[in-house]
């Protein structure tokens, strides 16, 4: 599975789009998660702070893909 | 969900500014991708087959994602609530073996024949008659299915968020039309990969939080057994007879009807999914793509089936009583109760607060739009190559065919919009349209598999077999529509009880109809082939086993070989089935 990925040879890779979408959504959810420490959501198990942790996970995943497949990196 | 349900069901939730921000981010990216990709979509190969330059991972994710529509996700979550863990069969035995078979056995023929479509392969192997029959039926079905997806999305947005149906239909249609018309299959594939990531990100939290609330998997099984019965938590041990499980199916229906005919028919001959794999950049990638897709497919039940099971024991109202869900169109739903199909949105609202809810809703919308885009991009390919280019204008320039592809996308979306409004006027049409696919898929698999594996199959045999199988499928459907007790002949139990007939009617009828129409197709193909003159071997090179040398796909080490990964996936599938026996 080490075949070069021709889609990354374009100026913008498919994985770059994946990274940007995940990073953008993740940051929004992460910020909401921080806000919910002082204004808890009314959902079940909100005390586990799912928005904070899930947002953090998505942000890290998205940041990795955005940087790894950024334009010009090839 | 029926249109009537709208009149009585109040919206489940509403989106806040944070949710809308995520939704807008997705729409902006989708439109941007359409315009961005247009620059590299100039030839017909680029527009219809994404330039055949996708890696195995991208083709594999698009392959599995094309089938991961929201209609399906919500429907199967509802089926898990209704029938228990048996619904998982549609994701495992009903998909994985066929996907592995496509990668290992069939893909070399599709790929080295350089066909642009499944009807195109039929033309090479069986001539114009078989191609015309499959192209016209497929083109007709795909635009109708696109319309069903469009209407379903609008209906879900109405029920969940209270959005106006016309607004949802037009926003969805215009967005999809823009990105598919501009970027063709390349644009559709990029969006399918995005949709795949969104669905995992948006839906995976529901089973995670649900299992925490239920006290783990073992405790969930105990709770389900107490509420619904032990048969809701076993996949195989209750399949001895139609009456011993909630689905009214026995193991022959699951293994031969679902696991063989329906599943192989869909995953190996439905051009909507096969087109994604044809976009692969080499033979090895084309063989690996369905195997990668199968590996991911195996874990889809985690966020589809488990939420349905969790809802059985955890979905409670504000006073702490379990909420009972009912079938669509039932008196309870008409009087305000929730239907099975609302399980997934109900579980979303239960666990996902602001932001996360927006992500979940965006994933659902992405799934619906991807369903429309998949259908309409497959339609424009089959229309341009197998109908327009084959029978109407054979000698046009490549540029002309690309323009035709773009126009047929716009027209396909227009017909889809008309279909969406048509379905809105008469909900029963939606059930018919969804069943129409099964009329063509099972016999088509018979024709393609004989074409690839049996060189004695002739052109006349292929055409008449396909026609007879399709006719048999429509006949059986009419027979049961006329009198539902006729189903007893399809399950070979002439004295079946009324209860058994009712159970089989609900879920298993399609499986047995598919099985018998496949048998008819194969029998007629074999008989007619022996009555007609064999095709010379020289005309079958590159199309049939026995006359074709499969080129080396370039994999040297064991872990580079598609067969190695197919064995790994099959082994994991076997272990999972044993675990949930």
């Amino acid at each position: 599975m080490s075949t070069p990925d021709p889609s990354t040879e374009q100026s913008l890779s498919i994985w770059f789009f994946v990274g940007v979408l995940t990073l953008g959504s993740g940051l929004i959810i992460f910020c909401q998660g921080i806000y919910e420490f002082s204004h808890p959501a009314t959902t079940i198990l909100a005390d586990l702070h799912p928005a904070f942790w899930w947002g953090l996970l998505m942000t890290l995943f998205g940041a990795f893909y955005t940087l790894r497949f950024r334009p010009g990196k090839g | 969900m029926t249109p009537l349900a709208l009149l009585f069901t109040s919206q489940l939730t509403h989106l806040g500014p944070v949710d809308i921000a995520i939704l807008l981010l997705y729409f902006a990216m989708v439109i941007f991708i359409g315009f961005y990709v247009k620059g590299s979509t100039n030839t017909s190969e680029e527009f219809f087959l994404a330039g055949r330059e996708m890696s195995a991972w991208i083709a594999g994710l698009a392959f599995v994602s094309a089938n991961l529509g929201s209609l399906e996700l919500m429907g199967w979550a509802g089926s898990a609530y209704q029938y228990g863990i048996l619904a998982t069969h549609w994701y495992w035995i009903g998909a994985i073996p066929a996907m592995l078979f496509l990668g290992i056995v069939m893909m070399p023929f599709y790929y080295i024949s350089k066909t642009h479509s499944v009807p195109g392969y039929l033309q090479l192997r069986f001539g114009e008659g078989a191609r015309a029959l499959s192209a016209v039926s497929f083109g007709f079905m795909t635009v109708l299915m696109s319309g069903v997806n469009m209407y379903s999305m609008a209906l879900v947005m109405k029920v969940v968020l209270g959005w106006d149906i016309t607004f949802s239909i037009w926003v969805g249609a215009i967005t999809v039309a823009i990105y598919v018309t501009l970027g063709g299959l390349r644009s559709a594939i990029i969006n399918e990969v995005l949709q795949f990531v969104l669905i995992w990100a948006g839906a995976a939290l529901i089973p995670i939080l649900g299992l925490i609330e239920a006290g783990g998997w073992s405790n969930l099984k105990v709770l389900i057994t107490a509420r619904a019965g032990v048969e809701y938590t076993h996949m195989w041990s209750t399949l001895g007879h139609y009456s011993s499980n909630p689905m009214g199916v026995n193991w022959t229906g699951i293994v031969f009807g679902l696991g063989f005919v329906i599943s192989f028919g869909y995953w190996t001959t439905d051009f909507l999914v096969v087109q994604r794999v044809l976009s692969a950049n080499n033979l090895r990638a084309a063989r690996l793509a369905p195997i990668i897709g199968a590996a991911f497919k195996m874990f889809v039940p985690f966020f589809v089936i488990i939420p349905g099971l969790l809802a059985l024991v955890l979905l409670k109202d504000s006073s702490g009583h379990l909420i009972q869900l009912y079938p669509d169109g039932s008196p309870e739903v008409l009087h305000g109760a929730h239907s099975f199909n609302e399980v997934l949105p109900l579980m979303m609202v239960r666990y996902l607060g602001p932001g996360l809810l927006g992500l979940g809703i965006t994933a659902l919308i992405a799934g619906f739009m991807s369903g429309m885009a998949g259908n309409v991009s497959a339609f424009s390919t089959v229309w341009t190559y197998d109908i327009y280019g084959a029978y109407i204008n054979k000698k046009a320039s490549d540029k002309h065919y690309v323009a035709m592809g773009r126009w047929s996308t716009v027209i396909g979306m227009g017909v889809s919009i008309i279909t969406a409004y048509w379905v809105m006027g008469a909900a029963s049409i939606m059930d018919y349209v969804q069943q129409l696919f099964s009329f063509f898929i099972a016999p088509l698999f018979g024709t393609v598999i004989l074409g690839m594996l049996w060189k004695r199959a002739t052109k006349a045999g292929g055409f008449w077999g396909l026609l007879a199988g399709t006719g048999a499928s429509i006949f059986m459907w009419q027979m049961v529509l006329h009198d539902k007790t006729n189903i007893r002949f399809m399950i070979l139990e002439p004295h079946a009880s009324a209860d058994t007939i009712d159970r089989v009617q609900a879920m298993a009828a399609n499986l047995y109809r598919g099985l018998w129409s496949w048998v008819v197709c194969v029998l007629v193909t074999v008989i007619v082939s022996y009555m007609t003159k064999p095709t010379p071997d020289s005309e079958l090179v590159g199309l049939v086993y026995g006359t074709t040398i499969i080129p080396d796909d370039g994999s040297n080490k064991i872990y580079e070989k598609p067969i190695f990964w197919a064995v790994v996936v099959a082994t994991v599938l076997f272990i999972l089935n044993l675990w949930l026996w």
Side-chain angles (χ1 to χ4, degrees):
Chain A
M1 293 188 200
S2 55
T3 311
D5 179 357
S7 56
T8 61
E9 291 166 12
Q10 299 169 21
S11 50
L12 292 180
S13 154
I14 290 177
W15 304 118
F16 177 71
F17 290 121
V18 168
V20 171
L21 184 64
T22 320
L23 176 61
S25 309
L27 276 174
I28 294 171
I29 294 169
F30 179 64
C31 293
Q32 174 69 26
I34 293 172
Y35 174 77
E36 285 177 6
F37 276 102
S38 54
H39 300 78
T42 54
T43 48
I44 305 291
L45 297 179
D47 53 320
L48 296 179
H49 301 289
F52 176 82
W53 294 109
W54 202 249
L56 180 63
L57 194 66
M58 285 180 67
T59 303
L60 293 175
F61 176 91
F64 172 77
Y65 269 74
T66 305
L67 291 174
R68 170 73 181 77
F69 296 98
R70 68 185 182 274
K73 182 97 180 353
Chain B
M1 271 167 257
T2 64
L4 278 175
L6 297 176
L7 302 175
F8 298 96
T9 311
S10 56
Q11 70 186 69
L12 296 178
T13 186
H14 66 277
L15 298 183
V18 182
D19 304 310
I20 291 170
I22 292 173
L23 194 56
L24 289 178
L25 176 68
Y26 169 73
F27 271 88
M29 179 153 280
V30 164
I31 300 287
F32 173 79
I33 287 169
F35 281 97
Y36 174 73
V37 168
K38 183 179 183 297
S40 55
T41 311
N42 301 312
T43 68
S44 59
E45 190 93 336
E46 287 168 347
F47 186 81
F48 297 112
L49 287 172
R52 289 194 198 257
E53 59 181 27
M54 294 297 155
S55 67
W57 280 95
I58 291 169
L61 291 184
F63 173 71
V64 71
S65 187
N67 171 259
L68 212 57
S70 298
L71 192 59
E72 203 209 50
L73 296 183
M74 293 174 63
W76 283 110
S79 294
Y81 179 93
Q82 194 177 0
Y83 302 116
I85 206 164
L86 280 179
T88 310
H89 283 303
W90 268 254
Y91 286 91
W92 287 356
I93 194 172
I96 310 293
M99 294 162 102
L100 300 181
F101 187 79
L102 173 68
I104 299 302
V105 178
M106 295 177 74
M107 213 53 232
F109 294 99
Y110 279 135
Y111 200 78
I112 62 179
S113 69
K114 287 290 171 196
T115 182
H116 294 97
S117 65
V118 173
Y121 176 80
L122 289 182
Q123 188 268 334
L124 295 171
R125 180 65 181 88
F126 292 121
E128 291 297 343
R131 162 156 76 178
L133 183 60
S134 71
V136 170
S137 58
F138 180 81
F140 180 63
M141 286 302 96
T142 44
V143 284
L144 290 185
M145 277 306 290
S146 173
V148 165
N149 255 293
M150 197 180 282
Y151 172 67
S152 305
M153 180 180 85
L155 193 55
V156 169
M157 292 307 116
K158 171 82 176 168
V159 172
V160 178
L161 301 172
W163 287 3
D164 179 69
I165 284 201
T166 296
F167 170 79
S168 299
I169 285 179
W170 284 94
V171 168
I174 290 171
T175 309
V176 171
I178 288 174
Y179 79 74
V180 179
T181 304
L182 293 174
L185 183 65
R186 194 193 300 267
S187 187
I189 284 178
I190 295 175
N191 279 291
E192 279 157 7
V193 174
L194 288 183
Q195 173 223 345
F196 182 85
V197 175
L198 272 175
I199 284 187
W200 279 81
L205 254 187
I206 297 170
I208 292 172
L209 292 172
L211 285 171
I212 292 173
E213 188 187 359
W217 173 247
S218 300
N219 208 39
L220 175 64
K221 284 203 296 184
V222 172
L223 293 172
I224 292 173
T225 302
R227 160 102 203 268
V230 72
E231 66 272 22
Y232 275 69
T233 57
H234 289 274
M235 287 187 66
W236 289 99
S237 62
T238 61
L239 291 180
H241 193 267
Y242 304 103
S243 57
S244 57
N245 62 78
M247 202 176 264
V249 64
N250 78 352
W251 69 273
T252 58
I254 292 292
V255 173
F256 298 113
L258 173 67
F260 182 55
V261 173
I262 299 284
S263 160
F264 276 66
Y266 177 75
W267 288 102
T268 66
T269 61
D270 187 334
F271 182 54
L272 175 69
V273 288
V274 173
Q275 187 179 23
R276 274 69 196 147
V277 189
L278 288 177
S279 72
N281 56 10
N282 58 49
L283 178 57
R284 183 167 159 268
R287 301 181 81 177
L288 271 173
I291 297 166
I292 291 170
F296 282 104
K297 182 81 176 174
M298 204 152 41
F299 297 99
V300 173
F302 179 67
F303 55 79
V304 178
I305 305 298
I306 290 182
L309 297 175
L310 287 164
L312 267 172
V313 293
L314 295 180
L315 197 57
K316 294 172 182 166
D317 60 22
S318 52
S319 56
H321 295 107
L322 277 175
I323 296 175
Q324 177 66 43
L325 306 182
Y326 298 92
D328 278 330
S330 63
E332 292 85 356
V333 171
L334 295 180
H335 288 90
H338 294 293
S339 76
F340 296 139
N341 287 339
E342 290 175 64
V343 160
L344 208 51
L346 283 167
M347 294 300 275
M348 270 185 187
V349 173
R350 180 176 178 79
Y351 294 116
L352 306 184
L356 290 172
L357 182 66
L359 186 66
I361 295 292
T362 304
L364 279 183
I365 291 176
F368 279 120
M369 296 211 308
S370 182
M372 290 180 230
N375 277 293
V376 89
S377 60
F379 164 77
S380 83
T381 307
V382 167
W383 163 262
T384 307
Y385 278 124
D386 297 304
I387 300 176
Y388 180 78
Y391 305 109
I392 299 171
N393 187 353
K394 291 184 183 177
K395 293 181 180 171
S397 65
D398 192 67
K399 196 175 169 187
H400 177 82
Y401 287 131
V402 174
M404 177 51 68
R406 295 194 204 279
W407 276 110
S408 58
T409 303
V410 174
I411 292 168
M413 287 310 296
V415 177
S416 303
I417 291 171
I418 294 169
T419 307
Y421 280 103
W422 185 38
V423 173
M424 186 157 65
S428 56
I429 294 167
M430 188 157 147
D431 296 332
Y432 293 150
V433 170
Q434 286 172 317
Q435 290 192 30
L436 280 175
F437 247 117
S438 68
F439 294 165
F440 302 106
I441 283 297
L444 181 60
F445 170 58
T447 306
V448 172
I449 198 68
L450 283 177
M452 282 185 179
L453 301 183
W454 191 46
K455 65 181 182 180
R456 184 65 182 79
T458 64
K459 290 184 177 179
F463 173 73
W464 288 108
L466 184 59
L467 193 62
T470 308
S473 188
I474 295 171
F475 172 75
M476 282 183 275
W477 178 70
Q478 272 293 331
M479 192 175 81
V480 174
L481 195 66
H482 173 68
D483 178 359
K484 73 174 182 181
T485 63
N486 283 333
I487 213 165
R488 64 191 193 277
F489 300 114
M490 283 161 61
I491 61 172
L492 302 182
E493 288 207 7
H495 305 294
S497 67
D499 177 56
T500 299
I501 288 169
D502 282 341
R503 282 166 178 254
V504 174
Q505 172 79 10
M507 279 300 287
N510 274 353
L511 306 185
Y512 291 98
R513 192 174 66 236
L515 184 55
W516 289 119
S517 61
W518 182 83
V519 169
V520 169
C521 169
V522 168
L523 281 178
V524 171
T525 306
V526 170
I527 292 167
V528 175
S529 292
Y530 275 123
M531 291 166 64
T532 46
K533 199 177 152 193
T535 311
D537 281 6
S538 58
E539 292 180 22
L540 299 176
V541 174
L543 301 171
V544 190
Y545 256 106
T547 62
T548 305
I549 298 169
I550 307 289
D552 181 30
D553 66 10
S555 48
N556 300 317
K557 301 188 177 79
I558 181 77
Y559 63 83
E560 291 176 348
K561 294 184 185 298
I563 186 72
F564 171 77
W565 291 106
V567 170
V568 170
V569 172
T571 306
V572 175
L573 175 70
F574 183 72
I575 293 168
L576 285 171
N577 275 278
L578 271 186
W579 177 50
L580 296 169
W581 186 269

